[in-house]
Amino acid sequence: MPRDRGQKVVASNRKARHDYTIEDTYEAGLVLTGTEVKSLRAGRASLVDGYGFIDGGEAWLDAVHIPEFNQGSWNNHPVRRKRKMLLHKEQILKINNKIKEGGYTLVPLSIYFSDGNAKVELAVAKGKREYDKRQTLRERTDKREADRAMSARKNLNE
């Protein structure tokens, strides 16, 4: 059977980009059981409450909801469990130093399949305050209005 090529996004955490200022992003592999992979391939996962942490020199992903596989038997996986992430040692040390610095957290942005392997996109992020969120929304609407005005002006000149 040929291997899958390319990327297939299973779940993305759009709220994370709203609630956090993204500093760095990393791609990590996931250690999963068989029924978890089958459930992900069916496109079922939620990253809403998920977070990452470093424990004993290893990276872990916690509180990510991967529902039970429908055709699974009694040996189905627990829905929310700690899952080990596969990162290089240098990346783990860099993330750990940033998190210990204070104010930073490790947030999963998306889970996807890359060439048949389950991957998670992680971000070292800093939480936004309420006024930062409003400022970001205001900047986005101002840019959108400016683009509309420029395109309308361009259409008038043509």
Side-chain angles (χ1 to χ4, degrees), residues 44-141:
R44 302 174 62 211
S46 175
L47 297 172
V48 174
D49 296 330
Y51 64 95
F53 63 95
I54 309 293
D55 185 31
E58 294 179 335
W60 296 91
L61 186 65
D62 200 9
V64 171
H65 184 269
I66 299 176
E68 289 183 344
F69 184 58
N70 290 336
Q71 287 80 31
S73 62
W74 55 271
N75 59 355
N76 238 339
H77 64 276
V79 175
R80 292 185 189 267
R81 70 171 184 93
K82 283 188 348 181
R83 294 169 178 93
K84 188 174 180 179
M85 293 187 290
L86 304 173
L87 287 163
H88 292 284
K89 191 60 101 174
E90 298 85 29
Q91 291 175 329
I92 292 174
L93 291 174
K94 194 182 222 184
I95 291 169
N96 197 22
N97 289 339
K98 198 74 163 176
I99 291 172
K100 281 186 177 179
E101 194 175 292
Y104 290 97
T105 186
L106 193 57
V107 180
L109 296 178
S110 64
I111 292 180
Y112 56 93
F113 284 99
S114 177
D115 294 337
N117 296 321
K119 304 280 186 181
V120 62
E121 183 183 13
L122 296 168
V124 176
K126 190 171 216 150
K128 284 186 183 177
R129 307 257 183 213
E130 196 64 35
Y131 56 85
D132 290 335
K133 294 177 190 178
R134 285 193 299 265
Q135 181 67 28
T136 304
L137 289 174
R138 190 174 304 119
E139 288 172 359
R140 192 178 306 143
T141 56

Side-chain angles (χ1 to χ4, degrees), residues 7-53:
Q7 283 191 351
K8 177 189 170 203
V9 176
V10 176
S12 61
N13 190 356
R14 293 179 16 194
K15 192 172 181 190
R17 295 196 187 272
H18 176 71
D19 291 341
Y20 297 97
T21 302
I22 307 298
E23 297 287 326
D24 294 327
T25 59
Y26 298 94
E27 180 184 61
L30 283 172
V31 177
L32 300 171
T33 63
T35 55
E36 286 175 324
V37 174
K38 289 181 179 188
S39 189
L40 283 178
R41 287 202 191 278
R44 302 174 62 211
S46 175
L47 297 172
V48 174
D49 296 330
Y51 64 95
F53 63 95

Side-chain angles (χ1 to χ4, degrees), residues 136-154:
T136 304
L137 289 174
R138 190 174 304 119
E139 288 172 359
R140 192 178 306 143
T141 56
D142 290 345
K143 184 180 182 316
R144 190 179 304 126
E145 289 174 3
D147 289 343
R148 282 184 188 151
M150 289 174 63
S151 65
R153 173 98 178 166
K154 181 181 173 188

